[in-house]
Amino acid sequence: MATAQVGVVIVGAGPAGLVLGNLLLDRGIDCVILERRDRAAVEGRARAGFLAAHSVRVLTEHGLSAGLLARGKTHTTCLFRSDRGEFTLDYGKSGLGEPHTVYPQQELVRDLIAEYLRRGGEIRFGAEAEEVAGEAAGEAAEGRVRVRGGADVTGRYVAGCDGHRGIGRAALTAHGTRTARRDHGVSWLAVLVAAPPSLEAVGYALHERGFAGHMARTAAVTRYYLQCPRGTAPADWSEDRIWTELATRLRTAEFGPLRHGAVLEKAVVDLRSDVLESPGAGRLWLAGDAAGLISPSAAKGANLAILQAELLARALEGALAHGDGTGLARYAADCLPRVWRAHEFSHWMSGLLHGPAGEEDEARYGRALQYARLESLRTSRTHQDFFAENYTGI
Ligand code: RFL
């Protein structure tokens, strides 16, 4: 049994699915979003916080930026610390860099849901898509999504915006789409604390015990990262251990204390990246983490999700409103070069931030390269311009 066909069935109400849904409604294309979690869970999920200028432009052009413009904070600098001291990199000053807007992802998601509903969109929370019918990636005339415990939902197209473990990706790979992937071999303990930021800007600390990061979120909440051994469990990290390790790696004895607060959340993130060689076929198209996962080392994931949602909305409009499939045929060529450039920079950042693995001699060599890269960034205007362009661009 199937419910009436819509233009686009979107699976997943994260940044990719919600931006896509809003942009499709803007273009007069009907859609339904299926989201397996309930609304409170989706609106409470703290993840990203750094929006590139391109993302802010897309959201603003489509009337989706009122919240972030009112409550987001603009950042144009970041800071690096190591045993050689600290320096601030003013990437906003480079002609090639643009400001970031710091706005927690869960607040953006909240805004996007409210606006989608205000525009008359339909979203079904607690609706878990079990499968996209296999032929969707082939010659099928429609896309069909099987919903756990409910009727199938069919659409002229299906947009898989359901993250990197989603069923959209599974259907495409089952149809023969290959994936390029890398395990960076590094894990981070991601901690959210109820305390104001301790630094003016983002802070990256290189330390022989491993990387530590400080990311502002709001006036009352700050995110910290600690590089940790693969396989570590969040439960291994007591509040005391977290603060001690942060103090050591962020060198508070030298540079001043951190503002403490209760640990609200702790999770281990294994740094992995992958990209599908083609983000769609036939009736099934992917955007966001579903099309490729990027390690969080350069804060690109949510920004790529917004970029892909924008490109996919345009392509689907061409197909549905004008019977013109060239946008979909070009979707991979439009987004993959930009996706790969973001991956290249994330990989570069990962090399800068993380101590090397391997035997003692190799580790010594790797660490010396890490510091040579940091020193080049501190002193070379050309290197700073490279950083600014790639750190803020998308
Ligand atoms: P999401 O956000 O994972 O949303 C997918 C949605 O699909 C739903 N879903 C399903 N619904 C129905 N049926 C199914 N079968 C379903 N399977 C899944 C899920 O419940 C969910 O609601 O993917 P999307 O939209 O592609 O967005 C991607 C971003 O969320 C992600 O790339 C970023 O959060 C990555 N990221 C960061 N990106 C940045 O640009 N800047 C940052 O500063 C940044 N920090 C981060 C991050 C990711 C982190 N984690 C948790 C890996 C910090 C962290 C700690």
Side-chain angles (χ1 to χ4, degrees), residues 208-293:
E208 61 191 18
R209 295 180 63 80
F211 160 72
H214 162 286
M215 321 276 145
R217 283 295 184 257
T218 67
V221 173
T222 304
R223 191 179 272 299
Y224 289 95
Y225 293 117
L226 281 168
Q227 186 181 347
C228 57
R230 182 59 62 87
T232 204
D236 298 340
W237 292 81
S238 64
E239 292 210 10
D240 262 5
R241 184 176 177 203
I242 289 170
W243 287 113
T244 304
E245 208 56 45
L246 284 171
T248 305
R249 299 189 196 181
L250 281 155
R251 299 174 196 276
T252 54
E254 201 174 334
F255 299 110
L258 302 174
R259 291 183 167 131
H260 284 214
V263 171
L264 302 171
E265 261 183 52
K266 47 186 178 176
V268 173
V269 183
D270 294 335
L271 271 61
R272 295 199 168 96
S273 301
D274 60 37
V275 180
L276 261 61
E277 69 179 356
S278 178
R283 300 279 149 190
L284 173 63
W285 297 85
L286 309 186
D289 284 6
L293 178 70

